[in-house]
Amino acid sequence: MNTKTFKVVKTDAEWREQLTPEQYQITRNHGTERAFSSPNFDSKLKGLYKCVCCDRPLYRSETKYESGTGWPSFTAPIEPDAVNAIEDRSYGMVRTEIKCADCDAHLGHVFPDGPPPTGLRYCMNGNALVFDQD
């Protein structure tokens, strides 16, 4: 289900015009929102979570779960090539950053402490996602 086959490239000015200041800080500057503050972090609605920058489908609500962290958490992306995993050594830690495969938006991080079936916790910034209810 590869929905796009090209990279979305925009200037910094174009990203700033399209995004709110918080969305820009998170997605383009690798920011993080405060826990429990993001849209849909505790939503139980059925639907699709997409990249706020390029509209790429990223996660289905069926893979969303309550991790207790205060950020939307998922067990897996909608398809393996929807996101890219990159080593992140910022803040004196070694983590795995997750970026949108189509536009390189910073989405959050993935951790190996999630539930079955994957054992992964894709801990995303809610402001990096747009939710479309089924």
Side-chain angles (χ1 to χ4, degrees), residues 3-124:
T3 56
K4 290 187 182 178
T5 57
F6 60 90
K7 276 286 195 195
V8 175
V9 179
K10 295 185 179 186
T11 66
D12 188 62
E14 290 171 318
W15 286 125
R16 286 182 185 277
E17 185 176 321
Q18 174 186 333
L19 303 168
T20 68
E22 187 170 24
Q23 290 168 336
Y24 178 86
Q25 176 59 25
I26 290 166
T27 61
R28 308 322 305 174
N29 288 333
H30 303 90
T32 301
E33 64 208 7
R34 284 185 348 270
F36 302 101
S37 70
S38 71
N40 301 309
F41 86 89
D42 62 350
S43 174
K44 307 270 190 275
L45 298 173
K46 299 292 183 202
L48 180 66
Y49 291 85
K50 301 184 300 185
C51 178
V52 72
C53 293
C54 71
D55 223 28
R56 166 91 188 235
L58 299 172
Y59 301 96
R60 295 262 343 139
S61 59
E62 291 82 6
T63 65
K64 188 173 185 284
Y65 71 99
E66 177 52 55
S67 65
T69 63
W71 287 277
S73 296
F74 303 87
T75 57
I78 197 166
E79 58 187 9
D81 64 350
V83 298
N84 292 325
I86 296 129
E87 185 178 274
D88 177 2
R89 292 183 170 267
S90 63
Y91 303 108
M93 299 179 273
V94 178
R95 303 176 291 173
T96 303
E97 177 185 12
I98 297 299
K99 289 185 170 188
C100 174
D102 285 356
C103 70
D104 293 326
H106 169 75
L107 302 170
H109 292 85
V110 64
F111 302 95
D113 60 1
T118 65
L120 298 174
R121 173 173 51 96
Y122 286 82
C123 190
M124 302 293 98

